[in-house]
Amino acid sequence: MLWSGWGDPAKARELPEQVRRLLHDLLGVREPTAPAAALESVRLPPVALEPGQVRAFADLVGARHVLTSDEARVRHTRGKSTPDLLRMRAGDGTDAPDAVVLPGTHDEVLEVLRLCAAERVAAVPFGGGTSVVGGLAASRAGFAAVVCLDLSRLDRLLDVDTESMIATFEPGVRAPEAERLLAAHGLTLGHFPQSFEYATLGGFAAARSSGQASAGYGRFDDMVVGLTVATPAGSLDLGRAPRSAAGPDLRQLVLGSEGAFGVITRLRLRVRRLPAERLYEGWRFPDFQGGAAALRALAQDGPLPTVLRLSDETETMIGLARPDAIGGGDSGCLVIAGYEGSQVSERRSAAAAVLTGLGGEPLGTEPGEAWAHGRYSAPYLRDSLLAAGATVETLETAGFWAGLPRLYDAVRLAMLGSLGSPLVMCHISHVYETGASLYFTVVTAQEADPVAQWDRAKAAASEAIVRGGGTISHHHGVGRDHRDAYAAEIGPLGAAILRAVKREVDPAGILNPGVLIP
Ligand SMILES: Cc1cc2nc3c(=O)[nH]c(=O)nc-3n(C[C@H](O)[C@H](O)[C@H](O)COP(=O)(O)OP(=O)(O)OC[C@H]3O[C@@H](n4cnc5c(N)ncnc54)[C@H](O)[C@@H]3O)c2cc1C
């Protein structure tokens, strides 16, 4: 993973000339004057751990698994939001951990957490490092030091139960590896977020991730049937039946807990059979409202495709729904519908009847296949846009169908009002019977302080979401960035309940301080 950007540097994407021209003419984007920092020149705080403390961690996990080099610290600094990348490009390593500790077993995680509590050292669980909400930037205040708990050594598929259709994994398995291991058994998770290439199963559970095929396979939290968790106060082992009436479901306390309540060390996940067939296609609707009504009809009355998304007019025009064809200039609003599994042609025909009946025009498989082909390329494009002097960032929310148009307008207006004349694009990314999520992408010319510029826009958008009745996050999570809005969403009693749980499982407060808990 590129330390100051996204992904495999070999897959870096050149900006097409037409996009450069568009950025310049439409948004006034100018190349930044200062070059991006080199890894060696990132400014890091001195290591705050005493040599004896480093040795104590080494005694627990082995000296090879405690890293204090500059490079290891830089590579575990923050996550992959645009402000995170802008700070790294500016050489700002102030949030770097003092050490990276790599435990290899559940018991080692427990021991490391106990040591952290005894030494007042904050511990930040680290999966793929793809958080976009500040979930990896723990607060140092009141702590002697901060260690990053890199879970990449916990990388095994432990069991496949084909009778119950449950696979048991360790948390550090990355999504492509999970799919590779399951494919050997003819199985799949069906979880394909845009961060697929790098994010881990533990991170998906900890941040309640949702993949692009959620209409068919469900969100990640729907897939979790059981969890093992290491906390400073001991272990939790949750989930022993498909459904239970035995009190509140404590798995739900762990899902979305973003490392603040414990470290997920084992996950039991519902799996599906590998689809016999896959087909993706495009549809055009004259406007966003009409397209949204069609998605709602499919979500409520079926048949529900496996992938279902709708780009608004701007996103369709810019072509961001298909990053390989950026600048393509389709008009109207593009729907991508994908079908995976069995009876693809029957499901496709039945959905086509609904879409046609509601004003959709079929575009055939080409736009759908192009979307599928380019589905992981947008983050690479972001790096090129940042280097060209544009700020590009995404944010998301969800609401009930009845309030969705108002939420859409409120967020768009907030972005336009706070950034001058940015490009604001949106798509409906996940659908449910009762509502949907809205995923916004914003592109604007970088100001002298692009981080402050984005903070301003993000604050306005968050306020619009809270006022507009949406949730502050449908799938990115809370982290540090959404903590205040989350507090507003759950109210003072909700926040007090979370703090009470935190006191019980983490009395010294060492787990990811500053993240999630208001
Ligand atoms: C380019 C890009 C595209 C993205 N697309 C999507 C998308 O389509 N859908 C989506 O849902 N998200 C998306 N994300 C957000 C991100 O990938 C998800 O939040 C993902 O779940 C994070 O997984 P990770 O393994 O990288 O976790 P990390 O970023 O390492 O950690 C995320 C949070 O969980 C905690 N954590 C990690 N592992 C554990 C564990 N085992 N136990 C306890 N706590 C843990 C961390 O402390 C942190 O607070 C995207 C991010 C990027 C950068």
Side-chain angles (χ1 to χ4, degrees), residues 6 79-81 124-136 151 171-172 191-196 198-212 257-260 262-265 267 378-379 382 430 439 474-477 479 512 515:
W6 179 255
K80 294 293 177 186
S81 70
V124 183
F126 189 100
T130 68
S131 168
V132 284
V133 291
L136 299 162
L151 299 163
H191 188 67
F192 304 106
Q194 202 176 49
S195 52
F196 177 78
Y198 291 91
T200 61
L201 302 180
F204 291 146
R208 301 183 83 183
S209 168
S210 193
Q212 293 167 345
S257 63
E258 300 183 19
V263 180
I264 299 163
T265 55
L267 304 100
R382 173 175 63 165
H430 304 266
Y439 187 91
H474 169 265
H475 58 264
H476 283 167
N512 229 355
V515 167

Short mmCIF file of all heavy atoms in Angstrom, two decimals, residues 6 79-81 124-136 151 171-172 191-196 198-212 257-260 262-265 267 378-379 382 430 439 474-477 479 512 515, ligand 1:
data_model
loop_
_atom_site.label_atom_id
_atom_site.label_comp_id
_atom_site.label_asym_id
_atom_site.label_seq_id
_atom_site.Cartn_x
_atom_site.Cartn_y
_atom_site.Cartn_z
N TRP A 6 -3.15 5.64 -2.24
CA TRP A 6 -3.93 4.41 -2.23
C TRP A 6 -3.27 3.32 -3.06
O TRP A 6 -2.83 3.57 -4.19
CB TRP A 6 -5.32 4.66 -2.82
CG TRP A 6 -6.14 3.42 -2.85
CD1 TRP A 6 -6.44 2.66 -3.94
CD2 TRP A 6 -6.75 2.76 -1.73
NE1 TRP A 6 -7.20 1.58 -3.56
CE2 TRP A 6 -7.40 1.61 -2.21
CE3 TRP A 6 -6.78 3.03 -0.35
CZ2 TRP A 6 -8.09 0.73 -1.38
CZ3 TRP A 6 -7.47 2.16 0.47
CH2 TRP A 6 -8.13 1.02 -0.04
N GLY A 79 -5.43 6.93 8.55
CA GLY A 79 -6.06 6.03 7.57
C GLY A 79 -5.92 6.59 6.18
O GLY A 79 -4.85 7.10 5.81
N LYS A 80 -7.01 6.50 5.41
CA LYS A 80 -6.93 6.85 3.99
C LYS A 80 -8.01 7.84 3.56
O LYS A 80 -8.44 7.83 2.40
CB LYS A 80 -7.03 5.57 3.14
CG LYS A 80 -5.85 4.62 3.31
CD LYS A 80 -4.56 5.21 2.76
CE LYS A 80 -3.37 4.29 3.00
NZ LYS A 80 -2.09 4.91 2.60
N SER A 81 -8.45 8.69 4.48
CA SER A 81 -9.35 9.77 4.03
C SER A 81 -8.52 10.78 3.25
O SER A 81 -7.28 10.78 3.34
CB SER A 81 -10.01 10.45 5.23
OG SER A 81 -9.05 11.21 5.94
N VAL A 124 -4.20 1.04 19.45
CA VAL A 124 -5.07 1.28 18.29
C VAL A 124 -5.10 0.02 17.42
O VAL A 124 -4.12 -0.29 16.74
CB VAL A 124 -4.53 2.46 17.45
CG1 VAL A 124 -5.47 2.75 16.28
CG2 VAL A 124 -4.32 3.69 18.30
N PRO A 125 -6.21 -0.73 17.42
CA PRO A 125 -6.29 -1.89 16.52
C PRO A 125 -6.20 -1.42 15.07
O PRO A 125 -6.82 -0.42 14.70
CB PRO A 125 -7.68 -2.48 16.81
CG PRO A 125 -8.07 -1.93 18.14
CD PRO A 125 -7.42 -0.59 18.25
N PHE A 126 -5.42 -2.13 14.27
CA PHE A 126 -5.16 -1.72 12.88
C PHE A 126 -5.38 -2.93 11.98
O PHE A 126 -4.69 -3.94 12.10
CB PHE A 126 -3.72 -1.22 12.79
CG PHE A 126 -3.33 -0.56 11.49
CD1 PHE A 126 -3.28 0.82 11.39
CD2 PHE A 126 -2.99 -1.32 10.38
CE1 PHE A 126 -2.89 1.45 10.20
CE2 PHE A 126 -2.60 -0.71 9.19
CZ PHE A 126 -2.55 0.68 9.10
N GLY A 127 -6.38 -2.84 11.08
CA GLY A 127 -6.65 -3.92 10.14
C GLY A 127 -5.95 -3.64 8.83
O GLY A 127 -4.74 -3.85 8.68
N GLY A 128 -6.70 -3.11 7.88
CA GLY A 128 -6.10 -2.75 6.59
C GLY A 128 -5.66 -1.30 6.55
O GLY A 128 -5.03 -0.87 5.58
N GLY A 129 -6.01 -0.53 7.58
CA GLY A 129 -5.61 0.87 7.61
C GLY A 129 -6.37 1.74 6.62
O GLY A 129 -5.90 2.80 6.21
N THR A 130 -7.60 1.32 6.23
CA THR A 130 -8.33 2.07 5.21
C THR A 130 -9.43 2.96 5.79
O THR A 130 -10.26 3.48 5.03
CB THR A 130 -8.97 1.12 4.17
OG1 THR A 130 -10.01 0.36 4.81
CG2 THR A 130 -7.95 0.16 3.58
N SER A 131 -9.44 3.15 7.09
CA SER A 131 -10.46 4.01 7.70
C SER A 131 -10.47 5.38 7.01
O SER A 131 -9.42 5.94 6.70
CB SER A 131 -10.15 4.20 9.18
OG SER A 131 -10.96 5.24 9.71
N VAL A 132 -11.67 5.91 6.81
CA VAL A 132 -11.76 7.26 6.23
C VAL A 132 -12.43 8.23 7.20
O VAL A 132 -12.89 9.30 6.79
CB VAL A 132 -12.52 7.24 4.88
CG1 VAL A 132 -11.65 6.70 3.77
CG2 VAL A 132 -13.82 6.45 4.97
N VAL A 133 -12.50 7.85 8.48
CA VAL A 133 -13.18 8.70 9.45
C VAL A 133 -12.30 9.01 10.66
O VAL A 133 -12.81 9.34 11.73
CB VAL A 133 -14.52 8.05 9.90
CG1 VAL A 133 -15.52 8.04 8.77
CG2 VAL A 133 -14.30 6.64 10.45
N GLY A 134 -11.00 8.87 10.51
CA GLY A 134 -10.12 9.13 11.65
C GLY A 134 -10.16 8.02 12.68
O GLY A 134 -9.85 8.25 13.86
N GLY A 135 -10.50 6.80 12.26
CA GLY A 135 -10.63 5.69 13.22
C GLY A 135 -9.30 5.16 13.72
O GLY A 135 -9.26 4.33 14.63
N LEU A 136 -8.19 5.64 13.14
CA LEU A 136 -6.87 5.12 13.54
C LEU A 136 -6.01 6.21 14.17
O LEU A 136 -4.83 5.99 14.43
CB LEU A 136 -6.16 4.54 12.30
CG LEU A 136 -6.90 3.36 11.65
CD1 LEU A 136 -6.41 3.12 10.24
CD2 LEU A 136 -6.76 2.10 12.48
N LEU A 151 -2.97 -6.23 13.09
CA LEU A 151 -3.53 -7.58 13.22
C LEU A 151 -3.21 -8.48 12.03
O LEU A 151 -3.82 -9.54 11.86
CB LEU A 151 -5.05 -7.46 13.43
CG LEU A 151 -5.36 -6.67 14.72
CD1 LEU A 151 -6.79 -6.19 14.75
CD2 LEU A 151 -5.04 -7.49 15.95
N PRO A 171 -9.08 -12.05 12.21
CA PRO A 171 -9.53 -10.73 11.72
C PRO A 171 -8.63 -10.06 10.70
O PRO A 171 -9.07 -9.17 9.97
CB PRO A 171 -9.55 -9.89 13.01
CG PRO A 171 -8.48 -10.52 13.85
CD PRO A 171 -8.55 -11.99 13.57
N GLY A 172 -7.36 -10.50 10.64
CA GLY A 172 -6.42 -9.76 9.77
C GLY A 172 -6.45 -10.21 8.32
O GLY A 172 -5.64 -9.74 7.51
N HIS A 191 -18.78 -9.77 -0.14
CA HIS A 191 -18.56 -8.42 0.40
C HIS A 191 -17.50 -7.71 -0.44
O HIS A 191 -16.32 -8.04 -0.37
CB HIS A 191 -18.11 -8.51 1.87
CG HIS A 191 -18.06 -7.17 2.53
ND1 HIS A 191 -19.19 -6.43 2.77
CD2 HIS A 191 -17.03 -6.42 2.97
CE1 HIS A 191 -18.85 -5.29 3.33
NE2 HIS A 191 -17.55 -5.26 3.47
N PHE A 192 -17.94 -6.74 -1.24
CA PHE A 192 -17.05 -6.08 -2.18
C PHE A 192 -17.11 -4.56 -2.04
O PHE A 192 -17.64 -3.87 -2.91
CB PHE A 192 -17.40 -6.49 -3.62
CG PHE A 192 -17.38 -7.98 -3.83
CD1 PHE A 192 -18.57 -8.69 -3.95
CD2 PHE A 192 -16.19 -8.69 -3.87
CE1 PHE A 192 -18.57 -10.07 -4.12
CE2 PHE A 192 -16.17 -10.07 -4.02
CZ PHE A 192 -17.36 -10.76 -4.15
N PRO A 193 -16.58 -4.00 -0.95
CA PRO A 193 -16.53 -2.55 -0.84
C PRO A 193 -15.45 -2.00 -1.78
O PRO A 193 -14.64 -2.78 -2.31
CB PRO A 193 -16.14 -2.33 0.62
CG PRO A 193 -15.34 -3.54 0.97
CD PRO A 193 -15.93 -4.67 0.17
N GLN A 194 -15.44 -0.70 -1.96
CA GLN A 194 -14.43 -0.14 -2.87
C GLN A 194 -13.02 -0.30 -2.29
O GLN A 194 -12.04 -0.27 -3.02
CB GLN A 194 -14.73 1.34 -3.12
CG GLN A 194 -14.12 1.84 -4.40
CD GLN A 194 -14.52 3.26 -4.68
OE1 GLN A 194 -14.43 4.12 -3.80
NE2 GLN A 194 -14.96 3.51 -5.88
N SER A 195 -12.93 -0.52 -0.98
CA SER A 195 -11.63 -0.72 -0.34
C SER A 195 -11.24 -2.20 -0.32
O SER A 195 -10.31 -2.59 0.40
CB SER A 195 -11.69 -0.19 1.10
OG SER A 195 -12.81 -0.76 1.78
N PHE A 196 -11.96 -3.01 -1.08
CA PHE A 196 -11.80 -4.47 -1.12
C PHE A 196 -10.34 -4.92 -1.12
O PHE A 196 -9.96 -5.84 -0.39
CB PHE A 196 -12.51 -4.98 -2.38
CG PHE A 196 -12.40 -6.45 -2.62
CD1 PHE A 196 -13.18 -7.35 -1.91
CD2 PHE A 196 -11.51 -6.95 -3.58
CE1 PHE A 196 -13.09 -8.71 -2.15
CE2 PHE A 196 -11.42 -8.31 -3.81
CZ PHE A 196 -12.21 -9.19 -3.09
N TYR A 198 -7.63 -3.92 0.13
CA TYR A 198 -6.76 -3.79 1.31
C TYR A 198 -7.45 -4.00 2.65
O TYR A 198 -6.79 -4.32 3.63
CB TYR A 198 -6.06 -2.42 1.30
CG TYR A 198 -5.06 -2.35 0.17
CD1 TYR A 198 -5.43 -1.87 -1.07
CD2 TYR A 198 -3.79 -2.87 0.33
CE1 TYR A 198 -4.54 -1.88 -2.13
CE2 TYR A 198 -2.89 -2.88 -0.72
CZ TYR A 198 -3.27 -2.38 -1.95
OH TYR A 198 -2.39 -2.42 -2.99
N ALA A 199 -8.75 -3.78 2.72
CA ALA A 199 -9.43 -3.83 4.03
C ALA A 199 -9.54 -5.28 4.52
O ALA A 199 -9.51 -6.23 3.73
CB ALA A 199 -10.80 -3.19 3.92
N THR A 200 -9.67 -5.42 5.85
CA THR A 200 -9.67 -6.75 6.48
C THR A 200 -11.06 -7.09 7.04
O THR A 200 -11.88 -6.20 7.27
CB THR A 200 -8.67 -6.78 7.65
OG1 THR A 200 -9.09 -5.81 8.63
CG2 THR A 200 -7.25 -6.48 7.20
N LEU A 201 -11.23 -8.35 7.33
CA LEU A 201 -12.51 -8.81 7.87
C LEU A 201 -12.78 -8.17 9.24
O LEU A 201 -13.90 -7.77 9.54
CB LEU A 201 -12.52 -10.34 7.98
CG LEU A 201 -12.27 -11.09 6.67
CD1 LEU A 201 -12.30 -12.60 6.89
CD2 LEU A 201 -13.29 -10.69 5.61
N GLY A 202 -11.74 -8.08 10.07
CA GLY A 202 -11.93 -7.45 11.38
C GLY A 202 -12.34 -6.00 11.24
O GLY A 202 -13.22 -5.51 11.96
N GLY A 203 -11.72 -5.31 10.30
CA GLY A 203 -12.06 -3.90 10.06
C GLY A 203 -13.49 -3.75 9.55
O GLY A 203 -14.20 -2.81 9.93
N PHE A 204 -13.93 -4.69 8.72
CA PHE A 204 -15.30 -4.62 8.21
C PHE A 204 -16.30 -4.71 9.36
O PHE A 204 -17.32 -4.02 9.38
CB PHE A 204 -15.59 -5.77 7.24
CG PHE A 204 -14.85 -5.70 5.93
CD1 PHE A 204 -14.43 -6.87 5.29
CD2 PHE A 204 -14.60 -4.49 5.31
CE1 PHE A 204 -13.76 -6.81 4.08
CE2 PHE A 204 -13.94 -4.42 4.09
CZ PHE A 204 -13.52 -5.60 3.47
N ALA A 205 -16.02 -5.64 10.28
CA ALA A 205 -16.94 -5.81 11.41
C ALA A 205 -16.86 -4.61 12.35
O ALA A 205 -17.88 -4.10 12.82
CB ALA A 205 -16.61 -7.10 12.17
N ALA A 206 -15.63 -4.16 12.61
CA ALA A 206 -15.44 -3.07 13.57
C ALA A 206 -16.04 -1.77 13.07
O ALA A 206 -16.39 -0.89 13.86
CB ALA A 206 -13.95 -2.89 13.86
N ALA A 207 -16.14 -1.61 11.75
CA ALA A 207 -16.67 -0.34 11.20
C ALA A 207 -18.01 -0.53 10.49
O ALA A 207 -18.48 0.39 9.82
CB ALA A 207 -15.64 0.28 10.25
N ARG A 208 -18.61 -1.69 10.59
CA ARG A 208 -19.93 -1.98 9.98
C ARG A 208 -19.96 -1.60 8.51
O ARG A 208 -20.76 -0.77 8.06
CB ARG A 208 -21.04 -1.27 10.74
CG ARG A 208 -21.10 -1.68 12.18
CD ARG A 208 -22.22 -1.04 12.92
NE ARG A 208 -23.45 -1.78 12.71
CZ ARG A 208 -24.62 -1.40 13.21
NH1 ARG A 208 -24.71 -0.31 13.93
NH2 ARG A 208 -25.68 -2.12 13.01
N SER A 209 -19.07 -2.24 7.80
CA SER A 209 -18.90 -1.93 6.39
C SER A 209 -20.07 -2.43 5.54
O SER A 209 -20.81 -3.33 5.94
CB SER A 209 -17.60 -2.61 5.95
OG SER A 209 -17.46 -2.61 4.57
N SER A 210 -20.21 -1.85 4.38
CA SER A 210 -21.21 -2.31 3.43
C SER A 210 -20.57 -2.38 2.04
O SER A 210 -19.91 -1.43 1.62
CB SER A 210 -22.39 -1.34 3.43
OG SER A 210 -23.48 -1.91 2.76
N GLY A 211 -20.76 -3.49 1.35
CA GLY A 211 -20.13 -3.67 0.04
C GLY A 211 -21.06 -3.29 -1.10
O GLY A 211 -22.26 -3.07 -0.90
N GLN A 212 -20.50 -3.26 -2.30
CA GLN A 212 -21.26 -2.78 -3.45
C GLN A 212 -22.37 -3.76 -3.85
O GLN A 212 -23.28 -3.39 -4.59
CB GLN A 212 -20.31 -2.54 -4.63
CG GLN A 212 -19.36 -1.39 -4.36
CD GLN A 212 -18.21 -1.33 -5.35
OE1 GLN A 212 -17.95 -2.28 -6.07
NE2 GLN A 212 -17.53 -0.20 -5.38
N SER A 257 -17.89 -1.06 16.84
CA SER A 257 -17.26 -0.48 18.04
C SER A 257 -15.87 0.09 17.74
O SER A 257 -15.24 0.69 18.62
CB SER A 257 -17.20 -1.50 19.17
OG SER A 257 -16.40 -2.60 18.80
N GLU A 258 -15.36 -0.10 16.53
CA GLU A 258 -14.16 0.59 16.04
C GLU A 258 -12.99 0.52 17.01
O GLU A 258 -12.29 1.51 17.25
CB GLU A 258 -14.50 2.05 15.69
CG GLU A 258 -15.57 2.13 14.61
CD GLU A 258 -15.91 3.54 14.17
OE1 GLU A 258 -15.10 4.45 14.41
OE2 GLU A 258 -16.99 3.73 13.59
N GLY A 259 -12.80 -0.63 17.60
CA GLY A 259 -11.64 -0.82 18.45
C GLY A 259 -11.73 -0.16 19.81
O GLY A 259 -10.79 -0.21 20.60
N ALA A 260 -12.87 0.45 20.13
CA ALA A 260 -12.98 1.17 21.41
C ALA A 260 -13.40 0.24 22.55
O ALA A 260 -13.21 0.57 23.73
CB ALA A 260 -13.97 2.32 21.28
N GLY A 262 -12.82 -3.38 22.30
CA GLY A 262 -12.02 -4.59 22.32
C GLY A 262 -11.47 -4.86 20.93
O GLY A 262 -11.77 -4.14 19.98
N VAL A 263 -10.67 -5.92 20.86
CA VAL A 263 -10.07 -6.31 19.58
C VAL A 263 -10.76 -7.60 19.12
O VAL A 263 -10.75 -8.60 19.85
CB VAL A 263 -8.56 -6.56 19.72
CG1 VAL A 263 -7.96 -6.97 18.38
CG2 VAL A 263 -7.87 -5.31 20.26
N ILE A 264 -11.37 -7.56 17.96
CA ILE A 264 -12.02 -8.76 17.40
C ILE A 264 -10.90 -9.68 16.95
O ILE A 264 -10.06 -9.30 16.12
CB ILE A 264 -12.93 -8.38 16.22
CG1 ILE A 264 -14.04 -7.43 16.68
CG2 ILE A 264 -13.52 -9.64 15.57
CD1 ILE A 264 -14.73 -6.69 15.54
N THR A 265 -10.88 -10.89 17.50
CA THR A 265 -9.78 -11.80 17.16
C THR A 265 -10.27 -13.01 16.35
O THR A 265 -9.46 -13.81 15.88
CB THR A 265 -9.09 -12.31 18.43
OG1 THR A 265 -10.08 -12.91 19.26
CG2 THR A 265 -8.38 -11.19 19.17
N LEU A 267 -13.85 -14.26 13.78
CA LEU A 267 -15.20 -13.96 13.27
C LEU A 267 -15.79 -15.21 12.65
O LEU A 267 -15.11 -15.90 11.88
CB LEU A 267 -15.15 -12.90 12.16
CG LEU A 267 -14.50 -11.57 12.44
CD1 LEU A 267 -13.08 -11.57 11.85
CD2 LEU A 267 -15.28 -10.45 11.79
N ALA A 378 -11.47 4.06 -8.63
CA ALA A 378 -11.64 5.46 -8.22
C ALA A 378 -10.59 5.92 -7.18
O ALA A 378 -10.09 7.05 -7.29
CB ALA A 378 -13.05 5.68 -7.69
N PRO A 379 -10.22 5.09 -6.18
CA PRO A 379 -9.23 5.57 -5.22
C PRO A 379 -7.88 5.90 -5.85
O PRO A 379 -7.16 6.77 -5.36
CB PRO A 379 -9.09 4.41 -4.24
CG PRO A 379 -10.32 3.58 -4.41
CD PRO A 379 -10.77 3.77 -5.82
N ARG A 382 -8.16 9.27 -7.27
CA ARG A 382 -8.07 10.32 -6.24
C ARG A 382 -6.63 10.79 -6.07
O ARG A 382 -6.36 11.99 -5.96
CB ARG A 382 -8.61 9.80 -4.91
CG ARG A 382 -8.39 10.80 -3.79
CD ARG A 382 -9.02 10.38 -2.49
NE ARG A 382 -8.48 9.14 -1.95
CZ ARG A 382 -8.69 8.74 -0.69
NH1 ARG A 382 -9.42 9.47 0.13
NH2 ARG A 382 -8.18 7.61 -0.26
N HIS A 430 -26.76 1.97 -1.69
CA HIS A 430 -27.28 0.77 -1.03
C HIS A 430 -28.77 0.99 -0.81
O HIS A 430 -29.17 2.08 -0.38
CB HIS A 430 -26.59 0.54 0.33
CG HIS A 430 -25.09 0.47 0.21
ND1 HIS A 430 -24.41 -0.71 0.06
CD2 HIS A 430 -24.16 1.44 0.19
CE1 HIS A 430 -23.11 -0.48 -0.04
NE2 HIS A 430 -22.93 0.84 0.04
N TYR A 439 -24.36 8.62 -1.37
CA TYR A 439 -22.89 8.66 -1.34
C TYR A 439 -22.45 9.83 -2.22
O TYR A 439 -22.67 9.83 -3.43
CB TYR A 439 -22.36 7.33 -1.89
CG TYR A 439 -20.87 7.15 -1.77
CD1 TYR A 439 -20.32 6.53 -0.66
CD2 TYR A 439 -20.02 7.58 -2.78
CE1 TYR A 439 -18.95 6.35 -0.55
CE2 TYR A 439 -18.64 7.40 -2.68
CZ TYR A 439 -18.12 6.78 -1.56
OH TYR A 439 -16.77 6.59 -1.45
N HIS A 474 -23.59 5.75 6.94
CA HIS A 474 -24.22 4.47 6.56
C HIS A 474 -23.22 3.33 6.59
O HIS A 474 -23.55 2.21 6.90
CB HIS A 474 -24.83 4.59 5.16
CG HIS A 474 -25.26 3.28 4.58
ND1 HIS A 474 -24.46 2.53 3.75
CD2 HIS A 474 -26.40 2.55 4.76
CE1 HIS A 474 -25.10 1.41 3.41
NE2 HIS A 474 -26.27 1.41 4.00
N HIS A 475 -21.93 3.61 6.25
CA HIS A 475 -20.96 2.51 6.24
C HIS A 475 -19.51 2.90 6.51
O HIS A 475 -18.68 2.02 6.66
CB HIS A 475 -21.05 1.70 4.94
CG HIS A 475 -20.81 2.50 3.69
ND1 HIS A 475 -21.82 3.04 2.95
CD2 HIS A 475 -19.67 2.85 3.07
CE1 HIS A 475 -21.32 3.67 1.90
NE2 HIS A 475 -20.01 3.59 1.96
N HIS A 476 -19.19 4.16 6.61
CA HIS A 476 -17.79 4.52 6.89
C HIS A 476 -17.47 4.45 8.38
O HIS A 476 -16.32 4.26 8.76
CB HIS A 476 -17.47 5.92 6.37
CG HIS A 476 -17.26 5.95 4.88
ND1 HIS A 476 -17.22 7.12 4.17
CD2 HIS A 476 -17.06 4.96 3.98
CE1 HIS A 476 -17.01 6.84 2.88
NE2 HIS A 476 -16.92 5.54 2.75
N GLY A 477 -18.48 4.63 9.22
CA GLY A 477 -18.25 4.58 10.66
C GLY A 477 -18.15 5.97 11.28
O GLY A 477 -18.46 6.99 10.64
N GLY A 479 -15.38 6.97 13.92
CA GLY A 479 -14.01 7.43 14.11
C GLY A 479 -13.93 8.65 15.01
O GLY A 479 -14.71 8.80 15.95
N ASN A 512 -8.18 2.75 21.69
CA ASN A 512 -8.53 3.76 20.67
C ASN A 512 -9.14 5.03 21.28
O ASN A 512 -10.24 5.46 20.86
CB ASN A 512 -9.50 3.14 19.65
CG ASN A 512 -9.03 3.42 18.23
OD1 ASN A 512 -8.06 4.14 18.02
ND2 ASN A 512 -9.73 2.89 17.25
N VAL A 515 -11.74 7.90 19.77
CA VAL A 515 -12.51 7.37 18.65
C VAL A 515 -13.88 6.90 19.15
O VAL A 515 -13.97 6.29 20.22
CB VAL A 515 -11.74 6.19 17.99
CG1 VAL A 515 -12.63 5.39 17.04
CG2 VAL A 515 -10.51 6.71 17.26
C1 LIG B 1 -10.82 4.15 -1.12
C2 LIG B 1 -11.73 3.67 -0.04
C3 LIG B 1 -12.93 3.09 -0.37
C4 LIG B 1 -13.78 2.64 0.63
N1 LIG B 1 -14.94 2.03 0.28
C5 LIG B 1 -15.75 1.53 1.23
C6 LIG B 1 -16.96 0.85 0.88
O1 LIG B 1 -17.29 0.68 -0.30
N2 LIG B 1 -17.72 0.37 1.89
C7 LIG B 1 -17.36 0.50 3.19
O2 LIG B 1 -18.08 0.03 4.05
N3 LIG B 1 -16.24 1.17 3.54
C8 LIG B 1 -15.43 1.67 2.61
N4 LIG B 1 -14.27 2.31 2.97
C9 LIG B 1 -13.95 2.48 4.40
C10 LIG B 1 -13.10 1.34 4.99
O3 LIG B 1 -12.52 0.56 4.00
C11 LIG B 1 -13.96 0.46 5.86
O4 LIG B 1 -14.32 1.21 6.99
C12 LIG B 1 -13.33 -0.86 6.33
O5 LIG B 1 -14.28 -1.55 7.09
C13 LIG B 1 -12.08 -0.67 7.15
O6 LIG B 1 -11.40 -1.93 7.20
P1 LIG B 1 -9.86 -1.99 7.59
O7 LIG B 1 -9.48 -3.40 7.71
O8 LIG B 1 -9.05 -1.17 6.68
O9 LIG B 1 -9.90 -1.34 9.03
P2 LIG B 1 -9.00 -0.19 9.64
O10 LIG B 1 -9.08 1.03 8.80
O11 LIG B 1 -7.66 -0.71 9.93
O12 LIG B 1 -9.79 0.05 10.99
C14 LIG B 1 -11.07 0.62 11.00
C15 LIG B 1 -11.51 0.81 12.45
O13 LIG B 1 -11.76 -0.45 13.04
C16 LIG B 1 -10.81 -0.72 14.09
N5 LIG B 1 -10.40 -2.11 13.91
C17 LIG B 1 -9.77 -2.66 12.83
N6 LIG B 1 -9.62 -3.97 13.01
C18 LIG B 1 -10.17 -4.27 14.22
C19 LIG B 1 -10.34 -5.47 14.97
N7 LIG B 1 -9.93 -6.65 14.52
N8 LIG B 1 -10.96 -5.38 16.17
C20 LIG B 1 -11.40 -4.21 16.65
N9 LIG B 1 -11.27 -3.05 15.99
C21 LIG B 1 -10.67 -3.08 14.77
C22 LIG B 1 -9.72 0.30 13.94
O14 LIG B 1 -9.13 0.66 15.17
C23 LIG B 1 -10.45 1.47 13.31
O15 LIG B 1 -11.10 2.24 14.28
C24 LIG B 1 -13.41 2.79 1.99
C25 LIG B 1 -12.18 3.37 2.30
C26 LIG B 1 -11.34 3.80 1.30
C27 LIG B 1 -10.03 4.41 1.66
#
